[in-house]
Amino acid sequence: MTNWTISAGHAAPLGATFDGEGVNFAVFSVHASKVALCLFSPDGKRETHRIELPERDGDVWHGYIPGLRPGQLYGYRAHGPYAPAEGQRFNPSKLLMDPYAKRLTGHPVWHDALMGYTVGAPEADLSLDPRDSAPYMPRSVVEDPSFAWGDDHPPGTPVSRSIIYEAHVKGLTRQHPGVPNPGTFLGLASEPMLEHLQKLGITAIELLPVQAFLNDRFLVEKGLVNFWGYQTLGFFAPDPRYLSAGNIAEFQHMVARLHSAGIEVILDVVYNHTCEGNELGPTLSFRGLDNRSYYRLAEDPRRYINDTGTGNTLNLNHPMVLRMVMDSLRYWVEVMHVDGFRFDLCATLGRRVRGGFSSSASFFDAIRQDPVLTRVKLIAEPWDIGPGGYQLGAFPPPFLEWNDKYRDGVRRFWRGDAGQVSELADRLTGSARQFDHSGRPATSSVNFLTAHDGFTLMDTVSYAAKHNDANGEGNRDGHSENFSDNMGVEGPSDDPAITAARAQRRRNMLATLLLSQGTPMLLAGDELGNSQSGNNNAYCQDNPIGWVDWQGVDPDFLDFTRRLIALRRTHPILRQKRFLHSRQRLLDGLGDLFWWRPDGGAMTLADWARDDLRVLGVEMRIASGTPAYAQREEALFMIFNGGEALPVKLPKAPADWCWRLHIDTDRPGLAPQIIRNDKLPVAAQSVVLLELERADG
């Protein structure tokens, strides 16, 4: 056994840092009385050394061990008061993961020894459990994260050209017949996956959480797992389940491969809470290192503020906790080369000390002044379950926001709900009521029809109600109002009329998405016709329910999706940064937005108020104020018909100009064609797109 010597080392950087000759360890705790570093044998089974960190600078404990190399397994034990009534929960019997660990050997194995208290005791969390938790804890691993990136460059796709594809690493790849190492980062980086994504035309893949996360105990006891990953254990470590050989370079390889295909990588990150839960949760890291600092505690400090619905809320009002989050974000950008982040329950990150949301909260101010993070894409999920938690449109630039009002408005229009034409108009033009302020662009709205949380597109047109029985919660979990429609039969159907109606509805909804101003996001598998059998909360379904079905691909819908994406890419009018507001343009005196009735008349206030109106025509041009060099096309005319078939009068074309039909969802294979008449027959339940072109073009 090596007799390691330890010296003072340095308080920065935090974590375990290899410098070529040894390893510096630094960990934050305000209230600990001492912190011990635990070293383990290469197989992780024996704790070979327990060494007190010799120095403390401010609230950072640190030490340096020469000769230690990458691959060394370690953890911490923190000493201090166990006084839950005062918010203190130190227990040196519990092995703690380094919050800055860059790799973990695995996941915690559920056992009562993981709890800092004695399970089953009266007033349980006030008791102290003396058992060693090390046999059930993963080990932190010293890593040298350097990687031969070669000529890797981030694609740097402008937001106005972005098409986001939300996917789960395992869910997307597990059932693909041609993918090696399915279910892993390497599988996602494989040639078949890159070919599919490139042919589809997406510009960015947004991955559900890949930072190390916990399998919740209640799920494990039911024979299920945490599939989605919204229970973060380590903010710097890729989850071991996605590593084929346990090497973090596999993640870096995936990013490099996606970049080489022109595809950005956006990570769904969870900095609003940790997996340790409330006072009856396990002691795995943060709670044992400094409970009062890492978490927002209630007026009774024995309890936790729970704005997230998970039992706890990270305290980003503490400078060292905020520093951890910022260090983590910069690590994933600078070391792992990711291109952006989607922040889960981002309203929580904007809560001040007293709990209220503010767009100038410390987290947003820190992000907006950071020279690294202002270069990448930032997307907010603009809500949580705390007081005043719904904050759509309230985030500061440069944040984009998931727009659930877009999802619900488009679903309701195509379902045939009354009075939805004005709602559709707002969504088609970038949801200006929410986003046209503070200099924010129209691309601030991330428009989506479906996401991981909810029905797939196929299920939206196949089920009138959720079917979550496989989750083991009596179908009580998940959203009950999905604005969906089974088209006459609940679930799969062989009736040709029903399958045709469902295909048409899916084309209509997808066309609406890709013809709207804003930033479109697709759910992985929707382009294939993937179903989750009506489960709208597949968070625990690591099985065919949650995996994308590559065997039942709908080739016609896949081709239609590719065509729509390609069309959006070639038509700047569809992806403008400036909002359209029916303003006259200085260049030609024409307006940038017109709303038309089927008879060719302009929409009136009375028309907008009609509950029975089911059809809307919109003519768009490049927005007023856009530089002349960006005005490369004249006009687009779109018809969204949620009612019966009818003739629609086309806007008058200038002399020597004509309308060319590009998209008709009733005839998805139709080639572009010139329309010679001033009226166009529009099929029931369909979307039509025409472009104004020179007659001799």
Side-chain angles (χ1 to χ4, degrees), residues 358-399:
S358 172
S359 61
S360 59
S362 56
F363 170 73
F364 297 130
D365 286 349
I367 286 272
R368 296 175 72 192
Q369 62 78 46
D370 191 281
V372 173
L373 300 178
T374 50
R375 299 198 311 259
V376 302
K377 292 179 172 64
L378 306 170
I379 304 172
E381 182 183 44
W383 50 76
D384 65 14
I385 68 165
Y390 189 77
Q391 293 291 333
L392 180 67
F395 288 75
F399 276 84

Side-chain angles (χ1 to χ4, degrees), residues 413-471:
F413 175 83
W414 288 112
R415 190 174 68 170
D417 291 12
Q420 293 301 306
V421 165
S422 61
E423 174 71 11
L424 178 68
D426 189 37
R427 304 309 157 201
L428 290 172
T429 50
S431 298
R433 281 182 290 180
Q434 279 75 38
F435 297 106
D436 190 10
H437 61 83
S438 309
R440 301 185 73 182
T443 50
S444 299
S445 175
V446 175
N447 300 330
F448 64 99
L449 303 168
T450 56
H452 68 276
D453 185 4
F455 278 152
T456 67
L457 186 58
M458 178 62 84
D459 289 353
T460 301
V461 302
S462 303
Y463 294 89
K466 63 184 180 181
H467 295 267
N468 298 352
D469 299 278
N471 296 354

Side-chain angles (χ1 to χ4, degrees), residues 538-553:
Y539 76 104
C540 56
Q541 298 299 328
D542 187 6
N543 54 50
I545 292 175
W547 303 338
V548 171
D549 178 12
W550 289 90
Q551 299 299 320
V553 173

Side-chain angles (χ1 to χ4, degrees), residues 594-604 607 610 613 615-619 637-639 646-653 659 677-680 682:
F594 302 89
W595 300 105
W596 300 113
R597 297 193 308 256
D599 63 4
M603 289 282 288
T604 66
D607 293 325
R610 285 175 54 188
L613 190 62
V615 60
L616 178 65
V618 56
E619 182 183 353
F637 180 52
M638 292 168 271
I639 304 162
L646 79 173
V648 173
K649 187 172 182 179
L650 303 181
K652 183 175 177 58
W659 290 103
N677 301 317
D678 65 349
K679 288 188 177 180
L680 178 70
V682 176

Side-chain angles (χ1 to χ4, degrees), residues 9 22 38 40 53 76 101 132 137-138 161 205 230 260 279 344 366 375 379 394 401 432 549 573 619 676 688:
C38 304
F40 289 85
L53 294 179
Y76 291 113
D132 185 5
M137 278 291 293
R161 294 178 178 268
I205 187 167
Y230 292 93
S260 71
E279 62 273 10
D344 178 66
R375 299 198 311 259
I379 304 172
E401 299 178 39
D549 178 12
I573 286 176
E619 182 183 353
R676 303 294 180 184
V688 170

Side-chain angles (χ1 to χ4, degrees), residues 470-551:
N471 296 354
E473 300 179 43
N475 204 33
R476 293 183 300 273
D477 61 302
H479 300 295
S480 295
E481 182 52 89
N482 298 284
F483 305 112
S484 60
D485 182 6
N486 64 21
M487 316 292 280
V489 173
E490 189 75 353
S493 174
D494 294 326
D495 185 322
I498 290 176
T499 57
R502 289 175 175 177
Q504 176 81 352
R505 180 73 58 84
R506 285 189 292 138
R507 290 194 296 269
N508 292 342
M509 294 176 71
L510 187 68
T512 305
L513 175 68
L514 290 166
L515 300 181
S516 295
Q517 303 296 320
T519 304
M521 183 184 80
L522 284 71
L523 173 65
D526 276 354
E527 76 278 16
L528 309 173
N530 185 60
S531 170
Q532 292 179 170
S533 300
N535 192 315
N536 75 350
N537 190 32
Y539 76 104
C540 56
Q541 298 299 328
D542 187 6
N543 54 50
I545 292 175
W547 303 338
V548 171
D549 178 12
W550 289 90
Q551 299 299 320

